[in-house]
Amino acid sequence: MDRNGTIAIIGAGIAGAAAARRLSGAGRRVVVIDKGRSPGGRMATRRGPDSLRFDHGAQYFTARDPRFAALVEDWTARGIAVSWGGAGRHVGVPAMTAPVRDLLADIDVRCGRAVGRLVREGRDWRLAEADGAALAGDAAFSTVLLTCPSPQSLALLEAAGQDLPGVAEMRYAPCWTLMLAHDGPPFRGGPVREDRDPEATIAWIAENGSKPGREGGTIVAHASPSWSRANLECAAQDVAERLVAALQDSVGPLGEIRHRAAHRWRYAAVEQAVGEPCLFAPEAGLGFAGDGCLGPRVEFAYLSGLALAERVLAA
Ligand SMILES: Cc1cc2nc3c(=O)[nH]c(=O)nc-3n(C[C@H](O)[C@H](O)[C@H](O)COP(=O)(O)OP(=O)(O)OC[C@H]3O[C@@H](n4cnc5c(N)ncnc54)[C@H](O)[C@@H]3O)c2cc1C
């Protein structure tokens, strides 16, 4: 097998971007494919009407590992990240997607393509859409690195008759997110409010507008895992109404509400990680990285992507 052949990375979130940057920096050919419209994954920004921007996925990131801390320092120096809300929190500028986009600069990234099948051809891999249509210009890949949440990665592995031990063990909690724009005053008590009561409807409220580049009077609220699970299949409009009511119960009247929308994250926060930095089967040319490896944080997903790239380079 040509172990120096092109590497396909499925998923342009922070884990896929970290792996792509390291591999490309080491001179390897890399193609990143994502089903979303743009890179970022759960480091996401949703545009609303009137150029409103909401960070509706990850709210911030922290940096404890020296490798990630050095990167965050570099992003900060270049205006790609800024500290926000104290406690070592950082956000992307002008949006949460900015750090991922920076990692992927100059890399071949193909968005709007959902990988439906991994097809083994001799010792190579080809990628296909769910209906069998070839993806990535029918290119052959020596290695495929999966960085989508484990249920999505597992479906691809099973359809290809492959097993990557550990992927099936990861568990994720869902999250319904409310995005709201209003004309009332900001809520009291700082830009962030957390409720750790597992029975609470809303677990997290952020004054989204207090982040640089986001319009004032915008709020993002995350429903708790238990509420999200219980209401997983409800209609988004209905969920938005109920979360607005719960939000006002929590922070008081919000004045005139100009915009409200709800987004469902089916796989939001890792509840059970596998406890390994990454998973890699060199003989099959398959690997997995993402927050399912080390835990529910941007930093952990980054470190997982980096670890997988190192494994590939060492193979
Ligand atoms: C609501 C919410 C709030 C959060 N808050 C925080 C926080 O405040 N701080 C923090 O550190 N972390 C937070 N997190 C967690 C953090 O966002 C994740 O840990 C991290 O972004 C995961 O990165 P990843 O690269 O592993 O996965 P992802 O970002 O999910 O990337 C996977 C990518 O794979 C793509 N994909 C999936 N299936 C396919 C397919 N078949 N074909 C092609 N592409 C595919 C997806 O489109 C996605 O872009 C939050 C997450 C959510 C959802």
Side-chain angles (χ1 to χ4, degrees):
M1 190 180 302
D2 175 13
R3 281 279 161 251
N4 290 319
T6 308
I7 298 165
I9 299 179
I10 305 177
I14 187 84
R21 168 59 43 214
R22 176 71 184 98
L23 290 165
S24 152
R28 300 297 298 269
R29 288 191 304 279
V30 170
V31 177
V32 182
I33 296 164
D34 199 289
K35 68 178 182 177
R37 263 181 299 188
S38 52
R42 280 171 279 162
M43 291 180 76
T45 303
R46 168 70 64 87
R47 285 179 187 273
D50 304 327
S51 62
L52 295 174
R53 273 201 282 214
F54 298 91
D55 294 343
H56 66 308
Q59 295 298 292
Y60 63 86
F61 45 91
T62 48
R64 297 191 174 89
D65 181 278
R67 292 163 294 175
F68 191 59
L71 183 61
V72 172
E73 204 174 303
D74 173 57
W75 283 334
T76 305
R78 291 190 289 127
I80 291 164
V82 70
S83 67
W84 169 78
R89 298 182 180 119
H90 292 80
V91 295
V93 181
M96 264 331 247
T97 50
V100 175
R101 286 178 186 276
D102 181 61
L103 287 172
L104 290 172
D106 303 328
I107 287 174
D108 182 353
V109 183
R110 304 176 192 187
C111 285
R113 311 277 178 84
V115 179
R117 283 169 52 197
L118 311 180
V119 182
R120 193 68 152 160
E121 262 187 29
R123 310 177 99 185
D124 284 330
W125 289 104
R126 289 183 195 274
L127 307 182
E129 295 187 64
D131 63 3
L135 265 174
D138 212 15
F141 300 99
S142 59
T143 307
V144 175
L145 305 182
L146 299 156
T147 71
C148 20
S150 79
Q152 294 160 333
S153 295
L154 194 61
L156 290 172
L157 288 168
E158 284 178 350
Q162 298 287 328
D163 183 25
L164 207 45
V167 174
E169 291 164 29
M170 301 164 188
R171 298 282 175 271
Y172 301 71
C175 179
W176 270 111
T177 296
L178 173 69
M179 294 159 276
L180 179 141
H182 69 123
D183 285 332
F187 56 83
R188 287 192 304 273
V192 165
R193 193 180 282 196
E194 253 181 302
D195 189 341
R196 293 178 188 272
D197 174 0
E199 298 308 316
T201 300
I202 292 183
W204 166 271
I205 308 168
E207 212 187 317
N208 181 71
S210 69
K211 298 177 181 180
R214 289 75 162 174
E215 195 185 308
T218 53
I219 293 176
V220 168
H222 293 320
S224 66
S226 62
W227 194 93
S228 300
R229 214 167 244 133
N231 294 281
L232 195 61
E233 303 305 334
C234 294
Q237 212 175 342
D238 179 43
V239 167
E241 296 305 329
R242 290 159 66 202
L243 290 181
V244 167
L247 181 63
Q248 301 206 78
D249 281 350
S250 174
V251 301
L254 291 165
E256 190 196 335
I257 296 174
R258 293 184 277 132
H259 173 73
R260 73 192 76 187
H263 176 84
R264 178 181 60 193
W265 296 97
R266 199 174 276 281
Y267 309 113
V270 173
E271 288 184 318
Q272 186 180 305
V274 80
E276 301 279 340
C278 64
L279 307 172
F280 186 47
E283 63 294 343
L286 288 171
F288 175 92
D291 57 354
C293 287
L294 293 172
R297 277 197 210 146
V298 167
E299 176 174 19
F300 289 153
Y302 171 84
L303 293 173
S304 177
L306 198 58
L308 184 55
E310 298 296 352
R311 291 286 304 275
V312 171
L313 292 172

